[in-house]
Amino acid sequence: MTVEHCIDLRCHPSTRPEAVRAIQVLVRRSASAELQMTFRLDGDIPRIWIPSPGLPRIATQLWHHTCFEAFIAVEGQPAYHEFNFAPSGEWAVYAFCGYRNGGPLANEMMRPHVAVRSTGSRLELDTLVRLDVLSAIHPHASLRIGLSAVIEACDGLSYWALRHPADQADFHDADGFALLLEPPGPEW
């Protein structure tokens, strides 16, 4: 069985992008410990800075440019992982034992699969994260998910998330991990 959600991200009120109309995320969690996400950005794509495709590799500070993010926490636990996915194929994973208390993981085993499609009005980034590489608990636990995006356009950076609990954009705020994903039943 697969659990599926389609969610709209909201722009933080401190930024007003003209080049982005909407960002939507399709999230699928399978019984085979996979978390699939498709980020769909609708807008004036030529006005958005999109890193050129390259070889998949670990990179740092991807959030300074167009980047999509997922925050994954076991329900009721302060620890969480942050995944950054750039349209270039670059990626990063961070582990935190509490609010912003942690750092990067340079582990190729955690490499997400990333695929990108783009037209003049839509950018789609598909990614797949293996939950079983996070821990033995993640595939079977209820998860709190935060989804977000930083978009760099000709009119500046804009910050998008499921929920913005603070006056400043802060994707690490656990109150922004607004999607509860229950473990799916077995696939037949």
Side-chain angles (χ1 to χ4, degrees), residues 38-49:
T38 299
F39 291 85
R40 293 182 182 133
L41 183 159
D42 289 311
D44 189 356
I45 301 303
R47 294 179 60 203
I48 297 171
W49 188 81

Side-chain angles (χ1 to χ4, degrees), residues 9 13 17 66 70 82 95 111 115 125 135 171 177:
L9 298 187
T66 298
E82 173 188 356
R111 180 173 69 174
L125 183 139
S135 79
F171 300 149
F177 302 176

Side-chain angles (χ1 to χ4, degrees), residues 42-187:
D42 289 311
D44 189 356
I45 301 303
R47 294 179 60 203
I48 297 171
W49 188 81
I50 300 170
S52 299
L55 293 174
R57 66 180 183 96
I58 297 174
T60 60
Q61 300 184 342
L62 295 173
W63 59 84
H64 287 286
H65 303 287
T66 298
C67 171
F68 300 93
E69 302 179 347
F71 294 79
I72 303 170
V74 171
E75 171 72 3
Q77 301 296 314
Y80 62 96
H81 288 86
E82 173 188 356
F83 282 82
N84 297 161
F85 318 104
S88 64
E90 293 174 310
W91 58 277
V93 181
Y94 301 84
F96 299 92
C97 59
Y99 177 76
R100 293 187 182 271
N101 183 6
L105 298 174
N107 182 345
E108 283 289 332
M109 294 286 296
M110 298 184 133
R111 180 173 69 174
H113 169 75
V114 176
V116 178
R117 293 174 301 286
S118 183
T119 67
S121 62
R122 176 174 281 176
L123 172 69
E124 288 189 351
L125 183 139
D126 291 318
T127 187
L128 183 135
V129 170
R130 295 283 317 167
L131 295 172
D132 52 358
V133 300
L134 300 180
S135 79
I137 297 169
H138 279 79
H140 310 288
S142 298
L143 301 176
R144 282 278 170 200
I145 307 292
L147 298 167
S148 54
V150 176
I151 307 301
E152 183 179 19
C154 58
D155 52 353
L157 293 174
S158 60
Y159 304 94
W160 299 74
L162 289 174
R163 180 183 298 157
H164 295 284
D167 291 339
Q168 299 274 26
D170 183 358
F171 300 149
H172 288 260
D173 188 327
D175 289 338
F177 302 176
L179 175 62
L180 177 63
L181 283 181
E182 296 293 346
E187 296 192 36

